[in-house]
Amino acid sequence: MASKPVTIRVPEELHAQLQERAEAEGTTVTALITEAATNAVRDPRLEGAAEVFRAFVADNADAFDAAFPDDTPDRLDAAGRAA
């Protein structure tokens, strides 16, 4: 993916906080700012969509399994292992 440079000015204190957080997370200031910018333009309708979908699937798994017995997936436990 191509990228474009963007120059912004931030107060020294904010820059220091960004550097501290980046070091604590094992990342870079650029990565933190890129993530923040991505979140700023993310469609708000998608917020929580994955959690809602997972809850729907979990609540209706038995009905799906009964309706489509040949397509029943293996169940995973909380650690992601086959149950």
Side-chain angles (χ1 to χ4, degrees):
M1 174 189 328
S3 63
K4 285 213 160 253
V6 175
T7 302
I8 63 169
R9 292 194 169 286
V10 296
E12 288 183 23
E13 183 179 333
L14 176 57
H15 187 261
Q17 291 171 330
L18 286 165
Q19 285 182 313
E20 288 177 22
R21 181 158 181 185
E23 288 175 17
E25 294 183 12
T27 190
T28 64
V29 170
T30 298
L32 289 177
I33 293 172
T34 300
E35 180 181 3
T38 300
N39 290 337
V41 298
R42 180 171 284 132
D43 189 332
R45 295 173 296 177
L46 297 178
E47 292 299 318
E51 291 79 18
V52 170
F53 178 75
R54 285 187 196 101
F56 175 80
V57 169
D59 292 346
N60 295 285
D62 292 338
F64 283 116
D65 291 348
F68 306 101
D70 294 337
D71 296 321
T72 301
D74 293 334
R75 294 285 179 237
L76 301 179
D77 64 13
R81 296 182 298 259

